[in-house]
Amino acid sequence: MNVLILGREEDCRDYLDYAHERGFTVQFFAPPRLAADDRENWRRTVADAAREAADLADVDDVISFHDSFQIQLELLRGELGMPTRDIDTLLCLVDKTRFKAHPAVRDHITRHIELDTSAKAPQALAAAEAALTFPLVVKPSNGFYSAGVVKAETPAEFPKAFIQTKRVCTVLRESSGESRMLAEEYLDGNEYAIDGVVSEGRVVPLQIHRKLPPLVGPLFHEVAYLTEPFDAELGRDFTALLESVIPGVGLDNSPFHAEFRFDGQGRLRILELAPRLCGGGTTTYQQLRICTGLDAYDLLHRLGREALVPEPLHHRVALEYDAPIERSGFLRNTARAVEVCHKNDVTTVHLHRPDGQFVLAPPLNFETVLTAYFARDTREEAEALLDVLMTDCTIDTETEKSS
């Protein structure tokens, strides 16, 4: 199989390993940004750039794990005669502002407002106080990896949160286009995520993630996913919400990654719905393989070409650990963290950034340093492992680069 990936090679190491094992040929293409007022020329713009950058003659599939490239992905797939998803649906799903305003979604979310990114903090605070009740969460409209998501417990904490998020919006402008800022009422309940597929109109949740430790702010970096096969009986509320929202927004023949929280009254609310595999593809693939024996990359290649009815081959518990960065600086002692993973019977470990490279700490972080995947038989075993990793598997930084 010949595969074209929209994205960077360094962000797709897991898929590259997968492709190498199967003898796939992989090419990469960084697509151009699209001007909002030039939609009639989008397809030609992407197709012309792709033909200059890659040999499209024998491409069997085009994929992307990147939020900002989903529109270009479908335009190019359409140009090559491959199954496509609806462009307006994707435009909605990759922008939190559009998503929250959609008629199929707006009854299932927390109260929120859009903030003026050109405003000063006092003006933004006045707008938030007039419409919402504290505590609030401030976030970019097109962010990812929880970058720029900051909680303000009280009005006194709002200016700092606003400035932090505004800085992230400035950085996002280069890679993801213009960001808007949202302020929304904080949901004081557990947070979950679900990976699945939509195939020929059928919504198929495959696995459910519990986010640990509990994300209570002020920052929301996701350290660990404790993952189990989706249980249709226990997950009825999630299924009902997904079966309302997904057809409502028009998503079909696509992977999805949905995130949820329960509010103070125990009602389920949806936070976002991404039309892609989670974690650059890696999280969905590695966790699903551990938990169920299913192959997420294979499902991705088959979507739209045949009706999929995936059934778990086994039931296990997976733990994804994303080693947190406490402070921005130059990386050091990463080999020690990798060693700790191996001592705890890691299934797969990816060290994405080497010693000496400068990395940013939350809320400004956009990149993972180390991600490790572990298989366990029970939830209790996975939680006990996380306690060990939080103590022993840490990533160090220093303010000055070692010579």
Side-chain angles (χ1 to χ4, degrees):
M1 177 181 280
N2 298 318
V3 181
L4 178 64
I5 300 180
L6 275 58
R8 303 184 305 173
E9 183 172 346
E10 56 265 36
D11 296 332
C12 301
R13 285 180 51 199
D14 190 68
Y15 183 85
L16 282 173
D17 291 343
Y18 175 89
H20 178 73
E21 290 175 0
R22 289 155 180 79
F24 294 179
T25 299
V26 179
Q27 302 177 78
F28 286 88
F29 167 51
R33 290 174 58 181
L34 301 173
D37 59 354
D38 192 37
R39 182 166 174 171
E40 64 183 24
N41 293 315
W42 280 0
R43 182 159 161 171
R44 185 179 65 190
T45 298
V46 174
D48 288 349
R51 289 192 172 93
E52 289 182 7
D55 180 8
L56 303 182
D58 298 315
V59 169
D60 297 304
D61 206 358
V62 187
I63 62 175
S64 181
F65 308 112
H66 198 295
D67 278 329
S68 300
F69 297 158
Q70 295 300 309
I71 308 302
Q72 294 95 322
L73 170 64
E74 294 312 298
L75 294 167
L76 187 54
R77 287 176 64 89
E79 178 72 11
L80 298 179
M82 297 177 183
T84 60
R85 300 168 293 177
D86 181 71
I87 295 293
D88 286 312
T89 294
L90 298 178
L91 286 168
C92 169
L93 296 181
V94 299
D95 186 308
K96 294 180 179 67
T97 304
R98 292 192 188 196
F99 178 66
K100 291 175 183 294
H102 194 284
V105 178
R106 57 193 179 204
D107 290 338
H108 304 293
I109 58 174
T110 185
R111 290 200 304 166
H112 68 283
I113 61 169
E114 185 176 335
L115 299 173
D116 183 356
T117 53
S118 66
K120 300 295 185 182
Q123 288 74 37
L125 173 58
E129 285 189 299
L132 306 172
T133 301
F134 279 82
L136 302 178
V137 174
V138 187
K139 62 175 65 173
S141 65
N142 58 346
F144 55 93
Y145 197 50
S146 299
V149 181
V150 187
K151 179 184 178 184
E153 192 75 42
T154 64
E157 296 178 2
F158 181 88
K160 181 180 179 181
F162 178 79
I163 291 169
Q164 288 177 311
T165 303
K166 193 171 185 176
R167 288 174 63 191
V168 171
C169 288
T170 301
V171 176
L172 280 169
R173 189 179 300 125
E174 294 300 316
S175 62
S176 303
E178 198 70 32
S179 289
R180 286 168 283 178
M181 290 177 64
L182 300 174
E184 62 184 30
E185 293 181 347
Y186 173 71
L187 297 173
D188 189 18
N190 291 330
E191 188 162 331
Y192 296 84
I194 290 175
D195 293 330
V197 295
V198 195
S199 178
E200 304 298 332
R202 180 170 176 255
V203 179
V204 187
L206 294 172
Q207 61 183 354
I208 185 166
H209 310 284
R210 291 170 174 82
K211 300 186 180 186
L212 298 173
L215 299 174
V216 296
L219 307 178
F220 293 88
H221 176 74
E222 297 169 357
V223 173
Y225 269 12
L226 190 155
T227 307
E228 297 177 82
F230 185 81
D231 186 306
E233 182 63 27
L234 296 176
R236 284 177 296 178
D237 289 347
F238 293 101
T239 300
L241 186 48
L242 288 169
E243 289 181 345
S244 172
V245 169
I246 286 178
V249 299
L251 185 65
D252 198 5
N253 293 319
S254 176
F256 69 84
H257 175 75
E259 303 202 341
F260 307 85
R261 263 187 190 255
F262 286 93
D263 64 17
Q265 288 73 48
R267 293 172 299 186
L268 188 63
R269 295 286 183 256
I270 191 164
L271 302 177
E272 63 179 68
L273 176 66
R276 49 146 175 86
L277 299 183
C278 176
T282 314
T283 296
T284 304
Y285 173 73
Q286 293 291 349
Q287 300 288 80
L288 194 66
R289 179 174 65 89
I290 291 169
C291 286
T292 70
L294 293 172
D295 183 335
Y297 292 141
D298 176 66
L299 295 175
L300 179 64
H301 287 304
R302 291 161 57 199
L303 275 166
R305 292 180 165 90
E306 60 184 276
L308 301 182
V309 189
E311 293 290 341
L313 304 178
H314 60 246
H315 285 65
R316 295 198 75 189
V317 178
L319 181 75
E320 176 189 9
Y321 180 69
D322 182 1
I325 304 298
E326 297 298 327
R327 61 178 183 172
S328 300
F330 296 96
L331 288 172
R332 58 189 295 267
N333 296 331
T334 54
R336 184 196 63 196
V338 173
E339 182 182 358
V340 170
C341 293
H342 284 293
K343 285 182 177 179
N344 287 279
D345 301 319
V346 72
T347 298
T348 303
V349 58
H350 292 302
L351 180 62
H352 302 280
R353 303 289 177 260
D355 278 356
Q357 189 168 103
F358 187 83
V359 295
L360 294 169
L364 304 177
N365 58 311
F366 290 93
E367 297 177 323
T368 306
V369 174
L370 179 146
T371 314
Y373 300 88
F374 302 85
R376 292 297 186 266
D377 290 323
T378 68
R379 189 186 306 175
E380 292 75 18
E381 290 175 343
E383 290 174 343
L385 172 61
L386 178 58
D387 290 339
V388 173
L389 297 175
M390 292 285 288
T391 302
D392 298 341
C393 187
T394 56
I395 297 290
D396 295 334
T397 56
E398 55 190 1
T399 55
E400 295 185 4
K401 191 171 185 178
S402 300
S403 59

